[in-house]
Coordinates of all heavy atoms in Angstrom, one line a residue:
S1279 N -98.6 177.9 -130.0 CA -98.6 176.9 -129.0 C -99.2 175.6 -129.5 O -100.3 175.6 -130.1 CB -99.4 177.4 -127.8 OG -98.9 178.6 -127.3
S1315 N -108.1 199.8 -152.5 CA -109.5 199.9 -152.2 C -109.8 199.0 -151.0 O -111.0 199.0 -150.5 CB -110.3 199.4 -153.4 OG -110.0 198.1 -153.8
A1318 N -111.1 200.4 -147.2 CA -112.5 200.8 -147.0 C -113.4 199.6 -146.8 O -114.5 199.7 -146.2 CB -113.0 201.6 -148.2
G1338 N -99.9 187.3 -176.0 CA -100.2 186.3 -177.1 C -101.4 185.5 -176.8 O -102.5 186.0 -176.4
E1349 N -100.7 182.4 -152.0 CA -99.5 182.1 -151.3 C -99.7 181.3 -150.0 O -100.8 181.4 -149.4 CB -98.8 183.5 -150.8 CG -97.4 183.3 -150.2 CD -96.8 184.6 -149.8 OE1 -97.6 185.5 -149.4 OE2 -95.6 184.7 -149.8
R1399 N -100.4 185.9 -164.7 CA -100.0 185.1 -163.5 C -100.0 186.0 -162.3 O -99.3 187.0 -162.3 CB -98.7 184.3 -163.7 CG -98.8 183.3 -164.9 CD -97.5 182.8 -165.4 NE -96.4 183.6 -165.3 CZ -96.1 184.7 -166.0 NH1 -96.9 185.1 -166.9 NH2 -95.0 185.3 -165.7
F1410 N -107.3 182.7 -145.7 CA -108.3 183.6 -146.3 C -109.7 183.3 -145.9 O -110.6 183.4 -146.7 CB -108.2 183.5 -147.8 CG -106.9 184.0 -148.4 CD1 -105.8 183.1 -148.6 CD2 -106.6 185.3 -148.7 CE1 -104.6 183.5 -149.2 CE2 -105.4 185.8 -149.2 CZ -104.4 184.8 -149.5
R1427 N -112.4 188.8 -146.3 CA -112.5 190.1 -147.0 C -111.3 190.3 -147.9 O -111.4 190.9 -149.0 CB -112.6 191.2 -146.0 CG -113.8 191.1 -145.0 CD -114.0 192.4 -144.3 NE -114.7 192.1 -143.0 CZ -115.2 193.1 -142.2 NH1 -115.0 194.4 -142.6 NH2 -115.8 192.8 -141.1
I1428 N -110.1 189.9 -147.5 CA -108.9 190.0 -148.4 C -109.1 189.2 -149.7 O -108.8 189.7 -150.8 CB -107.6 189.5 -147.6 CG1 -107.3 190.5 -146.5 CG2 -106.5 189.4 -148.6 CD1 -106.1 190.0 -145.6
W1429 N -109.6 188.0 -149.5 CA -109.9 187.2 -150.7 C -110.8 187.9 -151.6 O -110.6 188.1 -152.8 CB -110.6 185.8 -150.3 CG -111.4 185.2 -151.3 CD1 -112.7 185.3 -151.5 CD2 -110.9 184.4 -152.4 NE1 -113.1 184.6 -152.6 CE2 -112.0 184.0 -153.2 CE3 -109.7 183.9 -152.8 CZ2 -112.0 183.2 -154.3 CZ3 -109.6 183.1 -153.9 CH2 -110.7 182.8 -154.7
G1440 N -108.9 193.0 -165.5 CA -109.1 192.3 -166.7 C -109.5 190.9 -166.6 O -109.8 190.2 -167.6
V1476 N -112.8 176.9 -165.8 CA -112.3 177.3 -164.5 C -111.9 176.0 -163.8 O -112.8 175.1 -163.6 CB -113.2 178.1 -163.7 CG1 -112.6 178.5 -162.4 CG2 -113.6 179.4 -164.5
L1486 N -104.0 166.0 -143.3 CA -104.9 165.0 -142.8 C -105.2 165.1 -141.4 O -104.4 165.5 -140.5 CB -104.3 163.6 -143.1 CG -104.0 163.3 -144.5 CD1 -103.4 161.8 -144.6 CD2 -105.2 163.4 -145.4
K1560 N -92.0 166.8 -132.3 CA -91.1 166.6 -131.1 C -91.9 166.4 -129.8 O -91.6 165.6 -129.0 CB -90.1 167.7 -131.0 CG -89.1 167.7 -132.1 CD -88.1 168.9 -132.0 CE -87.2 168.7 -130.8 NZ -86.2 169.8 -130.8
Q1618 N -94.5 171.1 -154.9 CA -93.7 170.7 -156.1 C -94.1 171.5 -157.3 O -93.4 171.3 -158.4 CB -93.9 169.2 -156.4 CG -93.5 168.3 -155.2 CD -93.8 166.8 -155.5 OE1 -92.9 166.1 -156.0 NE2 -95.0 166.4 -155.3
R1632 N -91.4 162.0 -161.9 CA -92.3 161.5 -162.9 C -93.1 160.4 -162.4 O -92.7 159.6 -161.6 CB -91.5 161.0 -164.1 CG -90.7 162.0 -164.9 CD -89.8 161.4 -166.0 NE -89.0 162.3 -166.7 CZ -89.2 162.9 -167.9 NH1 -90.3 162.5 -168.5 NH2 -88.4 163.7 -168.4
K1636 N -94.6 160.9 -166.9 CA -95.1 162.3 -167.0 C -94.5 163.1 -165.9 O -94.6 162.8 -164.7 CB -96.6 162.4 -166.9 CG -97.3 161.7 -168.1 CD -97.4 162.6 -169.3 CE -98.3 162.0 -170.4 NZ -98.4 162.9 -171.5
I1668 N -86.4 165.4 -149.5 CA -85.8 166.5 -148.7 C -85.2 165.9 -147.4 O -85.9 165.1 -146.7 CB -86.9 167.5 -148.3 CG1 -87.3 168.3 -149.6 CG2 -86.4 168.5 -147.2 CD1 -88.5 169.2 -149.4
R1671 N -81.0 169.2 -142.1 CA -79.7 169.3 -141.3 C -79.9 169.3 -139.8 O -80.0 170.3 -139.2 CB -78.9 170.6 -141.7 CG -78.4 170.6 -143.1 CD -77.7 171.9 -143.4 NE -77.2 172.0 -144.7 CZ -76.9 173.2 -145.3 NH1 -77.1 174.3 -144.6 NH2 -76.3 173.2 -146.5
H1674 N -85.0 169.7 -135.2 CA -85.3 171.0 -134.8 C -86.5 171.0 -133.8 O -87.1 170.0 -133.6 CB -85.7 171.9 -136.0 CG -87.1 171.6 -136.5 ND1 -87.3 170.4 -137.2 CD2 -88.2 172.3 -136.6 CE1 -88.6 170.3 -137.6 NE2 -89.2 171.5 -137.2

Side-chain angles (χ1 to χ4, degrees):
S1279 299
S1315 60
E1349 186 181 32
R1399 297 165 334 282
F1410 297 93
R1427 299 192 204 190
I1428 292 173
W1429 157 265
V1476 181
L1486 300 182
K1560 289 178 72 175
Q1618 300 178 97
R1632 294 174 185 258
K1636 294 277 188 179
I1668 292 173
R1671 289 177 179 162
H1674 72 294

